[in-house]
Amino acid sequence: MNQFQYVRPTKQQAAIDAVAKDATATFIAGGTNLVDLMKRGVMTPQKLVDINRLPLTRIDADPGKLRIGALALNSTVADDKQVRARQPLLALALNAGASAQLRNMATVGGNMLQRTRCSYFYDTTMPCNKREPGTGCGALEGINRMHAIFGFSDKCIAVHPSDMSVALVALDATVQVSGPKGNRSIPFAELHRLPGDMPQKDTTLEPGELITAVDVPDGPFTKHVHYQKVRERASYAFALLSVAAALDIDGNNNIKAARLAMGGVAHKPWRLTAAEQALVGKPATEESFRQAATIAMQGAKAFKHNAYKLKLGPNTIIQALKTAASVA
Ligand SMILES: Cc1cc2nc3c(=O)[nH]c(=O)nc-3n(C[C@H](O)[C@H](O)[C@H](O)COP(=O)(O)OP(=O)(O)OC[C@H]3O[C@@H](n4cnc5c(N)ncnc54)[C@H](O)[C@@H]3O)c2cc1C
Ligand code: SF4
């Protein structure tokens, strides 16, 4: 590992200044992703700004929303009574991620900002436009079975790996950010970027901007929810593909509202708004779920090794919706 400076500010502004004024500095929270990347030489910050002394661990149950601090641990959030009662989909997605040990270290802010798991990104002997812009994309003509089927570019076909983020985009969450120019709110759907010509830039955050919290608004999705994750073994593996599904179903089994998002298919958590709209007013039946899945997959395009996602995608959507509908 390269040598680096390490600071532990206790004031938020000092942490922001330390990163904003030094292009070689970066925040560290749980370190479960960043330290791995540093060990492999993929990221080489010269200064680590440890934010663990900042008071950002609270989960506030406000009227109309939950405000979850950026330093709340993944395990704490998943086990929180208010989260389980008001946003059970978020708890399910968190518990589907990583292992119990990792969830005890990983933070909410770090989870949403973790880097892609594309193996070429981690292998510094291979070309990768995300790690080193202009070097090419090893995955385009290489082994691309984990890669995107939506929203990719000829510069990068990587997928975003966070399970939690798939639930947050479905739930219309908002990210609270503090930076050198002050505070701002970012709708969760606008936090992550598609790769375009700049795959090195994962998010719309500006240099020095610190995520302080995520707000999850109350909705009718407290009963009929499911997070379906398909992976190569039963635990401790990233998603090949995942679906977050939430339904509001009336007494006649008709769908009043729906939320649907996919993971493992794009450079960002992939919200399926056209499929959601198609579900509203329909009976909560397998036929309705099939129609929504067909709509959701429109525009999907596979590479040499990930054509299985074109079939796995609709099947997982249908399964997630069926399970959500049957959960009382
Ligand atoms: C073996 C293994 C399996 C895993 N499996 C899964 C899985 O199945 N699903 C899943 O979702 N995840 C999985 N993970 C990833 C894990 O969830 C992430 O590593 C973790 O959530 C990152 O959180 P952290 O607090 O440790 O972030 P860190 O490693 O500390 O930071 C990650 C990035 O976020 C930035 N950052 C952190 N906090 C902030 C903030 N508040 N504001 C601005 N920038 C910030 C850092 O600068 C860094 O760039 C796995 C990890 C491992 C090692
Ligand atoms: S898909 Fe993206 S992250 Fe993977 S090698 Fe290509 S440019 Fe790098």
Side-chain angles (χ1 to χ4, degrees):
M1 207 188 285
N2 294 329
Q3 289 207 327
F4 55 87
Q5 264 186 295
Y6 176 69
V7 294
R8 278 197 291 179
T10 51
K11 296 275 185 287
Q12 189 167 297
Q13 196 56 46
I16 291 166
D17 287 347
V19 172
K21 289 179 181 162
D22 181 351
T24 72
T26 193
F27 300 120
I28 184 165
T32 61
N33 186 216
L34 182 58
V35 173
D36 261 5
L37 291 164
M38 290 172 68
K39 282 185 192 162
R40 293 166 187 243
V42 177
M43 288 178 76
T44 52
Q46 287 168 28
K47 186 191 270 186
L48 288 190
V49 180
D50 184 337
I51 54 177
N52 286 290
R53 288 187 174 178
L54 305 183
L56 299 175
T57 57
R58 287 175 60 99
I59 300 174
D60 288 314
D62 295 339
K65 70 166 191 287
L66 294 176
R67 171 160 288 189
I68 303 171
L71 288 172
L73 298 177
N74 286 185
S75 52
T76 308
V77 180
D79 289 344
D80 184 85
K81 271 191 189 151
Q82 291 285 345
V83 172
R84 293 173 84 91
R86 285 161 68 168
Q87 301 297 350
L89 180 61
L90 177 58
L92 288 174
L94 277 163
N95 277 331
S99 63
Q101 290 92 336
L102 281 159
R103 292 194 294 273
N104 280 335
M105 283 300 290
T107 64
V108 161
N111 188 294
M112 60 181 79
L113 295 185
Q114 62 176 293
R115 311 294 309 272
T116 182
R117 306 308 288 200
C118 172
S119 56
Y120 298 94
F121 176 69
Y122 280 78
D123 183 347
T124 53
T125 65
M126 297 300 289
C128 172
N129 287 324
K130 185 180 278 298
R131 175 171 28 79
E132 211 178 329
T135 55
C137 170
L140 257 181
E141 300 296 331
I143 305 296
N144 44 36
R145 54 188 301 280
M146 296 293 287
H147 291 72
I149 53 172
F150 292 113
F152 51 80
S153 75
D154 62 349
K155 299 285 189 296
C156 179
I157 61 171
V159 295
H160 176 75
S162 159
D163 289 298
M164 178 193 74
S165 295
V166 184
L168 287 176
V169 79
L171 294 168
D172 282 327
T174 302
V175 178
Q176 300 302 335
V177 167
S178 192
K181 294 180 190 156
N183 300 336
R184 67 183 178 117
S185 305
I186 308 174
F188 200 82
E190 292 168 23
L191 176 66
H192 298 97
R193 299 178 64 253
L194 292 180
D197 284 339
M198 280 200 303
Q200 69 274 23
K201 199 165 156 43
D202 291 339
T203 69
T204 53
L205 292 177
E206 299 296 334
E209 279 191 323
L210 175 77
I211 293 180
T212 56
V214 62
D215 291 347
V216 194
D218 285 345
F221 306 111
T222 51
K223 283 186 186 150
H224 295 291
V225 299
H226 188 60
Y227 187 73
Q228 182 88 33
K229 177 172 175 177
V230 183
R231 49 190 158 186
E232 282 178 326
R233 53 177 188 229
S235 74
Y236 201 38
F238 286 91
L240 293 171
L241 190 144
S242 67
V243 173
L247 295 169
D248 183 17
I249 302 174
D250 70 15
N252 297 319
N253 200 38
N254 288 322
I255 299 168
K256 291 200 287 180
R259 292 284 187 279
L260 213 47
M262 280 172 114
V265 294
H267 205 247
K268 61 189 287 184
W270 197 248
R271 178 88 180 255
L272 303 168
T273 38
E276 290 172 1
Q277 284 159 16
L279 284 166
V280 175
K282 300 271 171 52
T285 59
E286 182 158 348
E287 179 52 27
S288 305
F289 301 155
R290 262 182 210 292
Q291 286 169 8
T294 303
I295 292 169
M297 295 303 293
Q298 280 168 8
K301 189 169 171 289
F303 291 88
K304 189 170 176 188
H305 303 107
N306 68 350
Y308 71 93
K309 289 192 181 184
L310 298 182
K311 194 161 179 194
L312 185 64
N315 286 347
T316 312
I317 292 171
I318 294 163
Q319 188 58 50
L321 286 166
K322 277 168 67 175
T323 310
S326 65
V327 176

